[in-house]
Amino acid sequence: MHRISNAVRLLLLLIALSAFPAGAAPLQAQWEFRLLPGDAQGAAHPGLQQWRAATVPGSVHTDLLAHELIRDPYVGAPEAELQWIGLADWEYRARFDVDAASLAKAHAELRFDGVDTYAEVTLNGKPLLRADNAHRTWRARVEGRLRAKGNELQIVFRSPIRTLLPGVQAMPHRIAGNYPSPYGDEPKDAMVGNFARKPAYHFGWDWGPRYVTAGVWRGVDLQAWDAHRLTDLAVRTDALDAEKAKLAVVLQVEQDAVAAPIAVDVEVRDPDGRSVARVQRTVELKPGRNSVDVPVELAKPRRWWPVGHGAQDRYTVQARLDGSADAVLAREQRIGLRTVELRREQDDKGGQGFAFVINGVPIFAKGANVIPFDAFPARVDAARLRQVLVAARDANMNMLRNWGGGYYEDDAFFDIADELGLLVWQDFMFGGGMQPGYDPAFRASVVAEARDNVRRLRHHPSIVLWCGNNEEETAWKDWGHGRDLKSADPAFAAKVWQGYVDLFGNDLRQVVSEDGLGVPYWSSSPSNDLDEKANDSTRGDKHYWQVWGNPALPVQAYLRETPRFMSEYGLQAWPAVATVDQIATRAEQRIDSPVIRAHQKFMAGEGNTRLLHYIELGYGTPKDFEDFVYLSQVMQADGIALAALHHRASRPYTMGSLYWQLNDVWPGASWSSVDYFGRWKALHYAARRFFAPVAVAALRDEGSTRVRLINDGAALDARWRLRVMDVEGKVLRRREQAMTLTAAGVTDIGTYADAELLAGADPARTVAVFELLQDGKVTARQVVGFVEAKDQVLPRQQLTSALAIDGDHYRLRLHSAALARAAWIDFGALDVQVEDNLLDLLPGETRDIAVRGPVDLAALREALKVKTLNDR
């Protein structure tokens, strides 16, 4: 199901090699692991104290799985039986040699890019460092401590739960946590996750499992040098427009105890690889750390733009010291030239805008939130990142929000985002609840973490916002976290809140100001950046969960909530049955089966009742589990389309729509549009239409339909068309008109009452079809019904299908004699890509759909199923 093959291990190694900076060499070591001798878990799990081969980067869970010592954590319902792993202490060791050239250098350093989390590190039997933050980079000087043969690095990992629990239980009043464990490994009234600087989702979330990991989750490298080394290269944009770029190449150079002059050579190559600037100078270095600024000017710069607004041109900047090819004396960085502003203009009603402005151009943000791609981060390779980010681009997204309860992604994620033109809203890694910001040591660790990651990632043009946390301010102000603590202990509550302001209002803001190269900072999502009200539709960004969450309003409520920027909203759906087959047998595929409940994390496993509620509101009661999956996806797609089109049609008051969520951490029910295995749900196909550069927003609510035409680009001439027809195809009313669509804006067509459109026709057998035509072709369409889908009288299935070879792909031809709603094309587990899906076919309409994949025609024909709402 999800075994780690040798090929995957090799790919992970290659990713690790590519992630190291210039001058760093991945530690060539043989790694082993074991349960720490004497650990309390040893009695229940005998034999684990012996050394076994380990994979680094990795985690204890994946190492145990590789040796078949545990069941696959994703298949069936093994979660409860695996919680002991997070309660245990583990030991890793690495044996390695060091080449003569490295040993001869005056200085040497071991660097750990990811240690999860409470770890004691020794080298050749002597203490090296103690780690307590999985998000930090840990460095230790090792000159004089290395030998040519047989070095031994040992790391003891302490259980985060056992490490933190005594202190949390000793608190007279506790700060709010996130999701209590249902497994007994941690008391429900003493959650430790908020106190640990490790990925919060490892303690469980409402879309993923609880696996409290330990291990070396990112690479370890060894660097050796003599008098000096180049430790960092950053490019600051001092001025940029279409005519000129004024840049400063900022180098960080570490010099040993003797001052010395060095030659600095900086070269800039354009996106085509041609040298367009070169600066050489001699700089006097003082002992210790030195910052060297090298000014560079470029004429007619090629700026980096978000997708849909221009090219994603990137320059390469290279710096060398002493003209040397030695890796420790050289750095190279790809950059994109762009300006970024978070524009917050006051309006005449006391509100305040929230718009991203790139190179002076306001951008309507279209996209989704990103969560971790796996419970075990080292299993995520660049190919999986690319698959999902390309899917986002192909669905006409231009922004992703990296949510704060996971980890800071590898550079590979941002390299791909840079290439694809996807803007990134980057949270710092705080997922919810409240943090002990009142603790100076905790704050200092977070500041070090923030500097490590801002400096590592700041050259990526895709990053356009650093955000302090996810939902901590609104939880304190709106969910009762602050009220409850103030009631119990007012003095402690004031201390906790002041710690919050110090950390998120001051510390992280200062890090971004000093090291973020001009990218704006925002203290929390949702918020108005520490203004009085946290989750406000008139100011700042908004999370809206009254649909789906409490009080579970119907999806039409989306149309009555108009924010300045919607950064979270969502509806759940199950992934395809082919994905469910990977985790549950067909006999287990029932809404209430233990395995299905185990993969439904919302409401502690009761989330299918909420999902069924929304399905039955609009579509009726599912016939079986397969119908439940299908209807959940149709409901999710229709509801999110309603919200996203409303947001887009409210431009420029609203300037962003990011639904929750893009991807999955494991196979199960969630709010995602792309599942764990990369399969597109119906929502993702719908997103390609509702996020298209040109779209029709025909939004019906309370007996009337407001029609607006959306255009992201330059003004364009088109025609819009209205047809009111019955389900058999008889046109009852028709209107067509030439229009010039507003540039980067919305053209309001008008509002139509049901009575006006129907003119006495049966609402259950009638639809209104709103379309936009360019050069005689329909480029956008919306079919509006006058009753809920469950109440529509649709002809029984009259859809026909035919598959044929068409050049380098297959062509699926669909034809419907009558109106066919929500046609879903399914090839089961076959590895194929379908050009379009979740289709409404008008009476008499034929659609040709390209199908691509390494499958023969006979297998395609055998696997093909097309399901519609007409079948029900």
Side-chain angles (χ1 to χ4, degrees):
M1 295 291 186
H2 203 94
R3 302 294 185 198
I4 299 178
S5 67
N6 290 333
V8 171
R9 286 195 180 95
L10 176 60
L11 185 55
L12 290 171
L13 174 62
L14 294 174
I15 294 166
L17 290 172
S18 68
F20 288 110
L27 192 67
Q28 301 300 309
Q30 299 296 319
W31 286 90
E32 297 176 300
F33 83 110
R34 66 178 178 177
L35 183 69
L36 188 69
D39 187 271
Q41 297 296 325
H45 304 280
L48 290 182
Q49 292 90 348
Q50 69 184 62
W51 290 105
R52 291 177 170 85
T55 298
V56 169
S59 73
V60 65
H61 287 78
T62 52
D63 286 329
L64 290 168
L65 180 61
H67 288 281
E68 300 184 342
L69 296 169
I70 60 172
R71 285 203 286 158
D72 190 311
Y74 289 2
V75 178
E79 198 173 341
E81 70 191 57
L82 299 181
Q83 295 309 305
W84 66 271
I85 300 170
L87 291 170
D89 294 343
W90 298 90
E91 185 176 12
Y92 279 70
R93 72 180 180 189
R95 292 193 173 102
F96 64 98
D97 300 332
V98 181
D99 63 87
S102 296
L103 281 175
K105 300 287 187 181
H107 308 286
E109 180 181 83
L110 274 172
R111 195 184 81 174
F112 303 81
D113 283 337
V115 177
D116 180 14
T117 293
Y118 294 93
E120 301 145 20
V121 185
T122 61
L123 176 64
N124 295 329
K126 295 183 179 180
L128 187 65
L129 64 85
R130 296 175 70 94
D132 62 0
N133 187 328
H135 302 300
R136 285 183 62 176
T137 298
W138 296 93
R139 297 175 173 86
R141 298 294 286 266
V142 292
E143 56 262 31
R145 301 183 58 176
L146 297 171
R147 50 197 184 216
K149 299 290 183 182
N151 294 279
E152 185 168 285
L153 187 68
Q154 282 189 296
I155 309 177
V156 173
F157 291 96
R158 303 294 180 181
S159 162
I161 299 170
R162 287 165 48 191
T163 297
L164 293 170
L165 189 57
V168 175
Q169 288 181 310
M171 296 174 66
H173 301 288
R174 288 153 195 169
I175 58 177
N178 291 308
Y179 292 94
S181 173
Y183 303 113
D185 56 317
E186 174 184 270
K188 292 185 178 183
D189 64 345
M191 291 178 278
V192 305
N194 287 28
F195 298 85
R197 293 311 299 146
K198 80 181 257 93
Y201 78 106
H202 285 167
F203 294 90
W205 220 264
D206 61 0
W207 36 253
R210 179 184 175 92
Y211 289 126
V212 182
T213 59
V216 185
W217 73 282
R218 279 186 169 150
V220 182
D221 73 277
L222 174 65
Q223 186 177 74
W225 69 99
D226 282 321
H228 43 246
R229 62 172 173 168
L230 179 56
T231 60
D232 194 28
L233 181 160
V235 180
R236 187 181 70 239
T237 301
D238 293 329
L240 176 65
D241 58 27
E243 299 301 317
K244 182 187 293 185
K246 297 181 69 174
L247 311 175
V249 180
V250 183
L251 309 177
Q252 302 300 321
V253 184
E254 187 175 312
Q255 174 68 17
D256 65 11
V258 179
I262 60 162
V264 176
D265 185 345
V266 172
E267 182 180 19
V268 181
R269 298 191 297 273
D270 73 7
D272 300 319
R274 297 172 298 199
S275 181
V276 291
R278 187 169 186 180
V279 179
Q280 296 173 304
R281 60 172 55 181
T282 299
V283 176
E284 189 74 20
L285 294 182
K286 67 180 188 298
R289 296 178 179 176
N290 295 259
S291 184
V292 178
D293 284 26
V294 180
V296 175
E297 288 197 8
L298 303 177
K300 302 288 185 181
R302 291 158 64 175
R303 289 175 288 179
W304 182 94
W305 291 90
V307 62
H309 293 269
Q312 288 74 56
D313 287 323
R314 286 179 288 167
Y315 287 76
T316 302
V317 180
Q318 184 183 74
R320 291 188 179 276
L321 306 183
D322 295 334
S324 174
D326 190 333
V328 298
L329 301 176
R331 284 260 172 162
E332 185 172 284
Q333 204 76 277
R334 288 192 82 183
I335 66 167
L337 301 179
R338 58 95 181 93
T339 61
V340 55
E341 172 193 356
L342 181 58
R343 185 169 292 173
R344 308 210 54 231
E345 295 177 334
Q346 296 281 348
D347 63 30
D348 57 6
K349 296 181 180 178
Q352 191 173 21
F354 190 103
F356 289 93
V357 181
I358 309 299
N359 299 326
V361 177
I363 306 295
F364 189 99
K366 305 179 295 185
N369 290 259
V370 173
I371 64 169
F373 289 77
D374 204 292
F376 313 111
R379 299 208 297 196
V380 180
D381 58 34
R384 197 190 321 180
L385 294 174
R386 177 170 291 278
Q387 177 188 38
V388 177
L389 296 191
V390 167
R393 189 274 315 272
D394 289 350
N396 291 306
M397 297 183 187
N398 61 20
M399 177 177 274
L400 301 173
R401 173 182 172 233
N402 268 340
W403 169 80
Y407 51 85
Y408 303 92
E409 287 285 352
D410 285 343
D411 273 275
F413 178 99
F414 300 95
D415 286 336
I416 297 166
D418 293 345
E419 171 196 334
L420 298 177
L422 295 170
L423 304 174
V424 176
W425 166 319
Q426 179 63 51
D427 283 2
F428 286 100
M429 289 301 111
F430 295 90
M434 184 53 74
Q435 309 300 321
Y438 50 83
D439 178 0
F442 183 89
R443 280 177 56 197
S445 181
V446 171
V447 168
E449 161 196 324
R451 288 200 190 279
D452 284 346
N453 287 285
V454 171
R455 289 174 176 174
R456 174 173 69 90
L457 299 172
R458 61 186 172 182
H459 64 281
H460 291 285
S462 54
I463 297 178
V464 294
L465 186 71
W466 286 95
C467 179
N469 66 70
N470 171 76
E471 294 188 340
E472 294 200 5
E473 184 179 340
T474 192
W476 181 266
K477 294 179 176 178
D478 304 326
W479 301 357
H481 290 185
R483 179 199 63 225
D484 294 346
L485 194 56
K486 289 173 187 176
S487 175
D489 188 337
F492 183 52
K495 182 179 178 180
V496 170
W497 178 246
Q498 186 58 52
Y500 176 94
V501 173
D502 291 341
L503 180 57
F504 297 109
N506 301 325
D507 293 348
L508 294 181
R509 193 185 306 276
Q510 182 175 349
V511 170
V512 174
S513 175
E514 292 173 351
D515 293 332
L517 300 178
V519 171
Y521 174 79
W522 191 246
S523 62
S524 182
S525 178
S527 80
N528 194 35
D529 204 18
L530 282 168
D531 203 356
E532 181 178 353
K533 192 172 180 181
N535 196 13
D536 189 353
S537 294
T538 66
R539 302 163 69 87
D541 71 308
K542 178 81 174 179
H543 291 192
Y544 183 68
W545 286 105
Q546 287 178 286
V547 174
W548 181 264
N550 292 321
L553 298 177
V555 295
Q556 288 77 17
Y558 281 136
L559 301 178
R560 300 155 207 161
E561 181 62 43
T562 308
R564 306 315 294 252
F565 191 106
M566 188 70 91
S567 48
E568 277 193 27
Y569 62 102
L571 293 164
Q572 255 202 10
W574 273 84
V577 171
T579 291
V580 180
D581 285 340
Q582 297 289 93
I583 59 172
T585 66
R586 286 298 174 100
E588 293 168 328
Q589 292 179 26
R590 308 184 314 274
I591 292 176
D592 59 350
S593 82
V595 171
I596 294 302
R597 286 171 56 85
H599 288 260
Q600 166 59 277
K601 293 299 181 182
F602 183 65
M603 294 170 57
E606 299 293 336
N608 283 338
T609 60
R610 181 66 52 85
L611 186 48
L612 193 59
H613 165 73
Y614 276 93
I615 291 171
E616 290 180 335
L617 276 179
Y619 305 89
T621 301
K623 296 180 292 188
D624 51 31
F625 186 79
E626 185 174 345
D627 197 37
F628 173 66
V629 169
Y630 165 71
L631 291 178
S632 75
Q633 292 203 21
V634 174
M635 179 277 299
Q636 181 191 41
D638 286 351
I640 298 303
L642 194 71
L645 287 170
H646 169 60
H647 302 152
R648 293 189 69 194
S650 300
R651 179 177 182 166
Y653 184 90
T654 302
M655 284 300 291
S657 182
L658 308 181
Y659 65 73
W660 186 270
Q661 63 205 61
L662 176 64
N663 61 307
D664 273 335
V665 73
W666 77 328
S670 82
W671 297 261
S672 72
S673 61
V674 178
D675 78 16
Y676 177 76
F677 295 111
R679 295 185 175 101
W680 289 24
K681 292 182 182 176
L683 170 57
H684 209 75
Y685 289 99
R688 186 158 57 188
R689 293 189 282 271
F690 62 66
F691 281 151
V694 176
V696 175
L699 306 177
R700 181 180 176 273
D701 187 30
E702 296 182 333
S704 65
T705 301
R706 186 177 179 187
V707 184
R708 285 160 288 182
L709 307 179
I710 300 164
N711 176 29
D712 286 343
L716 62 86
D717 293 330
R719 301 184 69 83
W720 81 273
R721 180 170 68 191
L722 162 65
R723 288 179 290 168
V724 180
M725 64 177 65
D726 68 20
V727 295
E728 303 291 348
K730 181 181 179 182
V731 177
L732 309 176
R733 179 180 175 183
R734 179 187 180 101
R735 180 182 175 187
E736 188 169 328
Q737 183 178 343
M739 297 289 300
T740 298
L741 272 62
T742 303
V746 178
T747 303
D748 198 336
I749 297 299
T751 300
Y752 296 86
D754 287 357
E756 178 186 359
L757 292 172
L758 287 168
D762 182 353
R765 297 182 54 83
T766 308
V767 294
V769 182
F770 297 91
E771 294 170 315
L772 193 67
L773 295 87
Q774 295 173 262
D775 299 324
K777 296 182 178 179
V778 175
T779 55
R781 172 192 288 170
Q782 201 167 358
V783 178
V784 176
F786 298 96
V787 296
E788 297 289 355
K790 66 182 178 181
D791 298 321
Q792 278 191 316
V793 179
L794 296 172
R796 296 296 294 173
Q797 185 59 274
Q798 298 188 47
L799 194 68
T800 61
S801 62
L803 271 164
I805 298 172
D806 189 1
D808 64 350
H809 62 276
Y810 299 103
R811 183 191 70 244
L812 172 63
R813 176 162 290 173
L814 297 179
H815 177 81
S816 185
L819 176 66
R821 287 290 320 280
W824 179 250
I825 303 161
D826 188 5
F827 289 100
L830 293 184
D831 182 20
V832 296
Q833 294 79 47
V834 181
E835 176 187 28
D836 203 359
N837 216 331
L838 193 70
L839 307 170
D840 288 338
L841 276 76
L842 300 182
E845 185 174 16
T846 299
R847 290 286 305 273
D848 285 343
I849 310 295
V851 180
R852 292 179 168 84
V855 181
D856 64 40
L857 183 58
L860 274 182
R861 285 172 171 163
E862 183 177 355
L864 173 64
K865 292 182 181 178
V866 183
K867 187 175 181 68
T868 72
L869 293 178
N870 302 54
D871 303 329
R872 308 198 68 256

